[in-house]
Amino acid sequence: MSLPLTRKDLMIVNMGPQHPSMHGVLRLIVTLDSEDVIDCEPILGYLHRGMEKIAENRTIIQYLPYVTRWDYLATMFTEAIMVNAPEFLENIQIPQRASYIRVIMLELSRIASHLLWLGPFMADLGAQTPFFYIFRERELIYDLFEAATGMQMMHNYFRIGGVAADLPYGWIDKCLDFCDYFLRGVIEYQQLITQNPIFLERVEGVGFISGEEAVNWGLSGPMLRASGIQWDLRKVDLYESYNQFDWKVQWQKEGDSLARYLVRIGEMRESIKIIQQAVEKIPGGPYENLEVRRFKKAKNSEWNDFEYRFLGKKPSPNFELSKQELYARVEAPKGELGIYLVGDDSLFPWRWKIRPPGFINLQILPQLVKKMKLADIMTILGSIDIIMGEVDR
């Protein structure tokens, strides 16, 4: 770390890696001149678990429970990219009902992630009340997840070719009730927060990123759209069934922490619109493409028998990846979550590279906090929205 020669009596402060204050085990070495930030050096790796190498030594089905530990607040998205990459690699078709169920689960997970961004972000700014409010709605989402998947956080619900189980009886009605209730909750958040003079004083003009800077740094998600770039992979890549719903990309042109807050609030509203349309138009039919269970090489295997694939519905012990490569991506709550996958005609991926949005978005932090006040560090860091599980992997 280089220090300016013209300054004397600079103070070096260690922020983190205490989890409650730093949104995970992130450590910042901050150089201060009184309250002014001169330099900031993020120290990563405290939560590194070798997720990529573990993936290269597991079959796809064996690795599915691991992926929810990347971004543990938006677990449906890690499961989605986990199954989307092999599906694209092998050109596997998804039943329409399964695609609609995936969209519903993904958007519920997006709302849950944004809620657990909003509460701690406001607590960083000194407002404790919203931190308790957001758990009220988030718990309702987790109840819906538990009813459909059996788990509140680590679901293990997505499968290659569909989902693990169909929606239970009465689940759709409960989901519609939640949508109506949550829209009132968003209005309550906006009345409490958006025009609050103390909140506006802390976020307006703080952490400014221009559109050109956002593109050059490779930012994605709300970080990119808050700087005036209308880029959303749900519109660009048209994965799952998003092209069948009427919704708008949320964006702002100011590029500061307030703009990032407004984008996420708008995204929660749009997610509700997508869920309502998906629930009302969800088709019948199968929730999983059972032909995926058939082995290509071992054609005489007992796992290809009718009884295993259609009656018992027992999962195949493995899934063969052909010798080709691709990059798959989804629009996660924090930005572009991608997987670079290389197959090798074997059960294990030859290369499995994770492109986490939080890791890419975090790299601009030192530039944003320089020449700002010490108190602005937590405002800017909170507006980036990071989860160290996916940053460190």
Side-chain angles (χ1 to χ4, degrees):
M1 178 169 42
S2 59
L3 301 178
L5 300 177
T6 55
R7 304 254 183 176
K8 295 183 179 180
D9 300 326
L10 297 178
M11 180 183 296
I12 297 178
V13 176
N14 189 67
M15 296 184 67
Q18 306 96 318
H19 177 273
S21 62
M22 297 301 293
H23 300 267
V25 283
L26 171 66
R27 179 185 174 202
L28 301 178
I29 300 177
V30 185
T31 304
L32 299 174
D33 177 25
S34 183
E35 288 286 320
D36 298 318
V37 179
I38 303 301
D39 196 12
C40 174
E41 181 184 1
I43 307 296
L44 311 176
Y46 290 98
L47 206 55
H48 175 63
R49 294 156 292 176
M51 283 295 184
E52 293 171 351
K53 286 305 173 186
I54 292 175
E56 293 168 12
N57 291 277
R58 299 287 188 279
T59 67
I60 299 296
I61 294 174
Q62 286 175 335
Y63 190 62
L64 259 172
Y66 283 83
V67 298
T68 50
R69 276 75 177 174
W70 301 349
D71 182 354
Y72 35 79
L73 301 183
T75 50
M76 289 295 184
F77 290 90
T78 57
E79 292 186 23
I81 193 63
M82 176 71 199
V83 298
N84 281 359
E87 285 169 356
F88 293 155
L89 193 73
E90 303 296 336
N91 195 24
I92 295 171
Q93 301 301 313
I94 309 300
Q96 190 75 353
R97 180 175 180 84
S99 182
Y100 272 62
I101 293 174
R102 285 184 179 184
V103 168
I104 294 169
M105 295 300 178
L106 288 174
E107 294 308 311
L108 284 173
S109 189
R110 188 184 309 277
I111 295 171
S113 176
H114 283 340
L115 284 175
L116 205 53
W117 163 80
L118 178 62
F121 177 62
M122 295 306 300
D124 289 341
L125 304 182
Q128 284 291 330
T129 303
F131 186 78
F132 300 109
Y133 279 20
I134 61 107
F135 282 100
R136 186 181 54 190
E137 282 78 21
R138 181 173 172 265
E139 194 64 30
L140 297 176
I141 296 175
Y142 279 14
D143 287 343
L144 290 172
F145 284 158
E146 185 177 13
T149 71
M151 294 285 284
Q152 286 199 330
M153 286 187 69
M154 312 302 179
H155 313 291
N156 194 18
Y157 184 62
F158 282 46
R159 292 291 184 273
I160 297 174
V163 292
D166 205 350
L167 298 176
Y169 178 78
W171 192 93
I172 287 178
D173 294 332
K174 291 284 187 183
C175 186
L176 285 173
D177 291 343
F178 165 76
C179 291
D180 295 336
Y181 171 79
F182 183 73
L183 287 175
R184 298 193 297 271
V186 173
I187 294 174
E188 188 176 5
Y189 295 148
Q190 290 183 302
Q191 290 175 340
L192 180 67
I193 300 170
T194 307
Q195 298 301 325
N196 185 293
I198 301 176
F199 169 73
L200 293 177
E201 190 74 23
R202 292 294 306 273
V203 296
E204 266 190 306
V206 175
F208 171 76
I209 307 172
S210 68
E212 183 181 3
E213 280 181 319
V215 172
N216 291 340
W217 280 91
L219 307 184
S220 58
M223 290 285 289
L224 180 66
R225 292 189 287 275
S227 297
I229 309 297
Q230 300 183 49
W231 179 267
D232 193 308
L233 295 178
R234 293 172 290 176
K235 291 284 191 183
V236 175
D237 287 357
L238 302 178
Y239 64 93
E240 299 299 351
S241 306
Y242 281 107
N243 60 332
Q244 301 179 24
F245 308 120
D246 179 27
W247 61 281
K248 296 179 180 178
V249 175
Q250 294 299 299
W251 64 286
Q252 299 286 328
K253 59 184 179 181
E254 288 78 13
D256 57 3
S257 297
L258 176 61
R260 295 190 274 277
Y261 157 81
L262 293 174
V263 166
R264 293 185 176 103
I265 289 290
E267 283 191 358
M268 288 194 285
R269 289 177 174 273
E270 293 301 310
S271 292
I272 290 294
K273 286 171 58 177
I274 294 173
I275 293 169
Q276 288 174 328
Q277 294 174 66
V279 165
E280 291 168 0
K281 298 193 296 186
I282 188 169
Y287 58 86
E288 185 181 14
N289 182 358
L290 294 176
E291 284 297 321
V292 175
R293 300 177 186 274
R294 177 180 292 276
F295 282 170
K296 291 182 295 184
K297 289 181 180 177
K299 294 184 179 179
N300 297 325
S301 169
E302 64 177 5
W303 292 98
N304 290 341
D305 291 347
F306 181 85
E307 178 182 349
Y308 275 95
R309 290 192 294 124
F310 294 101
L311 297 182
K313 295 185 179 178
K314 298 177 181 178
S316 305
N318 47 38
F319 180 84
E320 298 157 352
L321 297 169
S322 57
K323 193 169 185 177
Q324 49 184 326
E325 59 183 312
L326 91 161
Y327 175 73
R329 57 187 183 176
V330 297
E331 184 67 40
K334 297 163 184 62
E336 179 183 325
L337 174 61
I339 293 292
Y340 175 65
L341 173 62
V342 181
D344 194 28
D345 283 335
S346 67
L347 306 177
F348 306 128
W350 188 83
R351 184 71 178 98
W352 182 275
K353 179 72 176 72
I354 306 167
R355 193 268 188 206
F359 179 74
I360 308 297
N361 292 343
L362 184 61
Q363 64 183 341
I364 199 175
L365 177 67
Q367 176 179 312
L368 295 182
V369 300
K370 285 179 182 176
K371 301 180 181 178
M372 304 298 290
K373 297 295 184 182
L374 176 63
D376 293 329
I377 292 181
M378 296 314 299
T379 301
I380 296 170
L381 179 64
S383 72
I384 294 176
D385 188 14
I386 59 167
I387 291 295
M388 295 308 293
E390 70 169 12
V391 172
D392 291 337
R393 302 185 296 289

